[in-house]
Amino acid sequence: MEIKIKKQPHLLLDAADLVCAYVNGIEPRYLTGDGEFCIPAEEVMKMMNTVCADLDLESSRVRLYFRGYKLDENSAGDQRMACIAYILMNSNNDDLWSFEELRKALHNSYIGTGKPYKINSFGMTGFGWDACSDERSISDELDKQAMPDALRLRLAEVLSAYHKHVDQLCDLLEPLAERLRPLMEPWIEKLQPRIEQWQAALETEEKLRDFLSRFNTNLDTTKCIYLTPQMFYPSTCQGVFTRTDVLYCSAGVGLQIGQAERENTVQSRAAALRQLANADRIEMLRLMAGKGMRPREIARKLSINPGTVFRDLNNMCQVHLLKIVPEEGGYTYVTNLDYLKRAVNHLIEYIEGGE
């Protein structure tokens, strides 16, 4: 397997984090955490105030790209939200380390060619896709994914005029990222030990498998990993697949890959168990426990609306209860029983631990 780890984050993406937080009223302390590689909350506040000093919150363009949407109705208001800017910048390209390169990569990405594609997954920072031979309606593809209706409508609008919105977003973000550059440089210089720890961990098969499980995949279905450090939301991972076997992802600088973190275990596993508070989802997990199944097959067997099935499957994927298994002509979903058992056992141990 090919693994590429970038030695520094991308300033445009970091600037987008700050702007999204600023627009949606997320306090700076929620963008960081504890640890030697995490930026202190007071420094994050300085960065946010500097980057967003002249930002017009009433601008329709700012609202279009940076208005936040909750993908999980149970999520707290202080958590990272999905926004058009994150999704649009997710070009699935491993070589976009300057502003010019990112803009060019976005324009030249498969989505930008206008060729037909199908959406196979959707997450906080983008969607995974596969090329296909037949023309697909953007609206129909988005209808299969779990997201708020308001986000779906605006995303369809943006993708329908893709190149215009790429330029508008880059024009907005590039000067803000330039303001961020000198403030971020001291923290980027400290990152090398973390990058080395990640590299060493991912050379170990057991830790590599654990890392891939965060994205509902495994060694058998992944050929390449492109990993970028993210300075904000340092206890989280984000990633999407393209071409079924290439994972483009980012990892927060607070993560020690191969080692369990409090944020990753307690909060994310509690989120997984919240998905079990629904009889239909439990039946879906039971149905997929022994074999991979396609969404429409599940809908037919359980007599559930296909749109509901698509949304529930996507939500369960987001919290690692399902694995996506690429197959010829599409993909299937399989219950991630190992993760479910670990989640339940970990929370029991955590509760029994007392103080």
Side-chain angles (χ1 to χ4, degrees), residues 108-249:
N108 294 335
S109 68
Y110 188 89
I111 306 301
T113 66
K115 296 178 181 178
Y117 61 91
K118 58 184 177 181
I119 299 174
N120 59 33
S121 61
F122 179 79
M124 192 72 66
T125 56
F127 56 82
W129 54 268
D130 282 318
C132 61
S133 57
D134 56 318
E135 291 291 337
R136 303 287 182 100
S137 160
I138 292 175
S139 296
D140 288 346
E141 287 297 294
L142 293 175
D143 280 344
K144 300 175 184 177
Q145 306 303 318
M147 65 180 75
D149 289 339
L151 174 58
R152 183 179 290 105
L153 291 172
R154 285 165 178 78
L155 188 53
E157 171 193 341
V158 168
L159 292 177
S160 297
Y162 177 81
H163 294 287
K164 180 187 81 171
H165 288 287
V166 163
D167 283 331
Q168 288 183 171
L169 177 60
C170 288
D171 288 345
L172 192 159
L173 269 180
E174 285 174 11
L176 305 184
E178 285 293 358
R179 295 181 190 175
L180 180 61
R181 186 187 301 276
L183 302 176
M184 192 68 81
E185 285 176 350
W187 300 100
I188 293 175
E189 291 176 0
K190 298 179 180 181
L191 278 183
Q192 192 56 37
R194 172 61 81 222
I195 302 301
E196 292 174 354
Q197 186 270 323
W198 287 353
Q199 189 71 57
L202 294 178
E203 290 174 356
T204 305
E205 182 173 325
E206 179 182 357
K207 293 179 180 179
L208 178 57
R209 287 185 182 278
D210 181 69
F211 179 71
L212 289 173
S213 71
R214 297 170 181 262
F215 306 99
N216 308 301
T217 188
N218 54 57
L219 287 173
D220 299 329
T221 57
T222 308
K223 292 182 179 178
C224 302
I225 298 175
Y226 298 113
L227 175 60
T228 303
Q230 63 184 43
M231 299 302 297
F232 302 118
Y233 302 100
S235 297
T236 64
C237 286
Q238 304 291 338
V240 295
F241 271 92
T242 62
R243 304 193 302 275
T244 71
D245 56 9
V246 180
L247 174 64
Y248 294 88
C249 59

Side-chain angles (χ1 to χ4, degrees), residues 214-216 312-324 333:
R214 297 170 181 262
F215 306 99
N216 308 301
D312 283 347
L313 292 176
N314 204 26
N315 284 336
M316 289 192 285
C317 277
Q318 294 295 320
V319 295
H320 313 300
L321 289 177
L322 296 177
K323 296 178 182 179
I324 298 175
Y333 294 87

